[in-house]
Amino acid sequence: MAFLLYLFATLFLPVWWATRIVSQNDGTASGGWIAGLSLGFIFTLVPLVVAWQMRIRKLHWRGRLAILVVAILLAAPNWLTLGIFLNSSDAALKARRILDTGATWFGGASLTGAIAAAVIFVAGVIGWTLYRGRGRRLKQLKGQLAANPSGATSIDRTRCPGTLIPPVSANALPSRRIPPTGGHRHAARKEHRHERTAG
């Protein structure tokens, strides 16, 4: 059974796929470029987005396996294109000749679309990760402020690395002498006169 599937994939599918591509773009070079770019982009980005759902923690391993299978099947147009340009069979050579005459630049455009989709997906994942991390840190800080409102102005060195503000103790604060008030001045003068009289 596996051998029959291999023969079907290597002898029939390359020519069939090339014929389908040529029939859809009327045999023009611009049509081949547009078809390759759109197919390469869509059928790379969509499978990657579907495969990204495997990160959900609640999924069982069977669910993750099902998602992976769906993502692989969704990328079938790209697999068919790779089967034409990476295969050395007679059917693949015939399919390449069909594309060269009826859909010029289809292979290069398909590769360009696939690379662009992969770059956009990676950028989206990085942005999403940074956004989630920022939201998580803000949530933790709000929880700390709600639990300890009096310490809202204190510096958490784990949250603010690199701060140059050292801890200040009560003994390190400079002492300030409070000047005497009017009543204290009068008592001091009276005590001074009393000492002079006694002397």
Side-chain angles (χ1 to χ4, degrees), residues 73-174:
L73 292 177
L74 288 174
N78 287 338
W79 304 132
L80 292 172
T81 303
L82 287 176
I84 292 176
F85 290 96
L86 298 182
N87 194 1
S88 59
S89 63
D90 294 337
L93 294 175
K94 184 178 179 179
R96 284 200 291 270
R97 286 195 295 268
I98 294 173
L99 291 176
D100 289 340
T101 57
T104 311
W105 306 114
F106 174 80
S110 180
L111 179 61
T112 302
I115 293 175
V119 170
I120 291 176
F121 174 77
V122 171
V125 169
I126 293 174
W128 182 87
T129 303
L130 294 177
Y131 177 78
R132 287 291 301 271
R134 179 176 177 273
R136 192 179 299 111
R137 289 192 295 271
L138 289 176
K139 186 176 180 180
Q140 291 176 354
L141 290 175
K142 289 180 180 178
Q144 290 181 357
L145 293 178
N148 186 17
S150 61
T153 58
S154 63
I155 297 176
D156 188 353
R157 295 182 180 277
T158 62
R159 299 294 176 190
C160 303
T163 180
L164 299 178
I165 301 177
V168 179
S169 61
N171 296 329
L173 294 176

